[in-house]
């Protein structure tokens, strides 16, 4: 980016902190790093609402009776005071949207983790995500986040090409939602839907992916999103 160019302002939608019940921390940090390296100005955003549940990341099991707030947990990644309540966020203030993955996307922002193609989406999240497509602003979706995109577009009777890696069950759910699922062989790959200015990458949809490969895919995704900022 030359000194004469304006720094693009990018909304990063988070879903908590921790891949089993919130945002995938590695994917979130790598996305923020890639955006920083490419000269973008970033605003982390999350709903001020309870998580679906809290998972012990040592055992992988839900903690009975535990409760955490999505905005408070997302602020662990964004740093204190640097995560905006989604209720205060306006699509018009941003040039692009990037969404890291983690089960929080599929549990807190929507119910894809439990209901697949029959999932519901939080109305505020759906409106925010669809707003970028309506405004023809680029969107980057990482790991399971393309499922949220698929649900939001399905509600708007729209269809896009995206990837959730090569999981057959996820691909079938995307097809049920009227989306075009494109398999990718590993975490380094991206899929671009030019008509929607949508860039997706599978990241930890491949559980055994190397961190360096996840970085490669996320950096490529972010670069292509920023390339499409008007």
């Amino acid at each position: 980016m030359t000194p004469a160019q304006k720094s693009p302002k990018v909304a990063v939608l988070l879903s908590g902190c921790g891949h089993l019940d919130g945002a995938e921390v590695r994917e979130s940090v790598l996305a923020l790093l890639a955006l920083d390296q490419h000269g973008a100005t970033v605003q982390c955003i999350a709903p001020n609402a309870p998580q679906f549940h809290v998972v012990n990341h040592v055992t992988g099991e839900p903690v009975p009776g535990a409760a955490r707030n999505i905005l408070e947990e997302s602020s662990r990644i964004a740093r204190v005071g640097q995560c905006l309540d989604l209720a205060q966020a306006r699509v018009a203030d941003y040039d692009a949207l990037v969404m890291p993955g983690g089960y929080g996307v599929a549990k807190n922002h929507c119910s894809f983790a439990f209901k697949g193609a029959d999932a519901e989406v939080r109305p505020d999240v759906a409106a925010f995500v669809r707003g970028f497509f309506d405004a023809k602003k680029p969107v980057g979706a990482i790991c399971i986040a393309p499922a949220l995109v698929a649900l939001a577009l399905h509600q708007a009777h729209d269809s896009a090409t995206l990837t959730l890696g090569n999981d057959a069950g996820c691909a079938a759910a995307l097809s049920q939602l009227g989306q075009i699922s494109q398999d990718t062989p590993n975490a380094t790959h991206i899929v671009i839907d030019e008509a929607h200015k949508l860039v997706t990458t599978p990241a930890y949809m491949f559980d055994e992916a190397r961190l360096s490969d996840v970085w490669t895919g996320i950096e490529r995704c972010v670069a292509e999103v920023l390339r499409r900022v008007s």
Side-chain angles (χ1 to χ4, degrees):
M1 185 173 66
T2 66
Q5 289 177 307
K6 173 188 171 186
S7 173
K9 189 170 183 180
V10 180
V12 177
L13 184 62
L14 299 175
S15 60
C17 182
H19 77 281
L20 294 177
D21 56 12
E24 214 297 332
V25 177
R26 293 180 175 189
E27 292 172 0
S28 301
V29 173
L30 291 178
L32 293 169
L33 174 60
L35 287 162
D36 181 64
Q37 287 190 340
H38 283 280
T41 300
V42 170
Q43 176 63 66
C44 293
I45 298 168
N48 185 4
Q51 293 183 182
F52 175 81
H53 61 189
V54 177
V55 174
N56 181 329
H57 281 65
V58 175
T59 64
E61 297 298 323
V63 182
R68 293 188 181 184
N69 178 281
I70 303 169
L71 179 60
E72 291 175 6
E73 292 301 297
S74 297
S75 296
R76 293 176 181 271
I77 296 171
R79 298 180 68 83
V80 174
Q82 296 182 26
C83 197
L84 181 68
D85 184 344
L86 178 59
Q88 301 172 8
R90 298 171 60 250
V91 172
D93 293 336
Y94 306 100
D95 299 303
L97 171 66
V98 170
M99 295 181 286
Y103 271 109
V105 175
K107 293 178 178 179
N108 301 330
H109 291 342
C110 66
S111 55
F112 186 82
F114 312 109
K115 298 182 179 180
D118 296 321
E120 300 90 17
V121 186
R122 282 182 58 95
D124 52 353
V125 170
F128 190 66
V129 172
R130 282 203 308 268
F132 283 86
F133 290 103
D134 293 342
K136 302 189 184 308
K137 296 181 178 183
V139 174
I142 299 163
C143 191
I144 196 64
L148 176 61
V149 171
L151 289 163
L153 290 178
H154 177 70
Q155 287 183 346
H157 306 289
D158 197 1
S159 177
T161 299
L162 33 71
T163 187
L164 285 172
N166 59 14
D167 182 279
C170 287
L174 293 185
S175 295
Q176 282 182 257
L177 291 167
Q179 310 303 309
I180 301 168
S181 176
Q182 184 170 319
D183 281 358
T184 42
N186 57 55
T188 68
H189 285 249
I190 62 173
V191 170
I192 301 174
D193 183 317
E194 290 289 2
H196 291 84
K197 294 187 178 180
L198 171 65
V199 188
T200 56
T201 188
Y204 282 113
M205 289 301 293
F206 295 98
D207 287 332
E208 304 304 319
R210 297 176 61 196
L211 182 60
S212 56
D213 287 344
V214 172
W215 160 250
T216 296
I218 289 176
E219 192 281 330
R220 292 180 67 197
C221 175
V222 165
E224 294 296 338
V225 165
L226 295 178
R227 192 168 289 128
R228 287 157 178 78
V229 170
S230 300

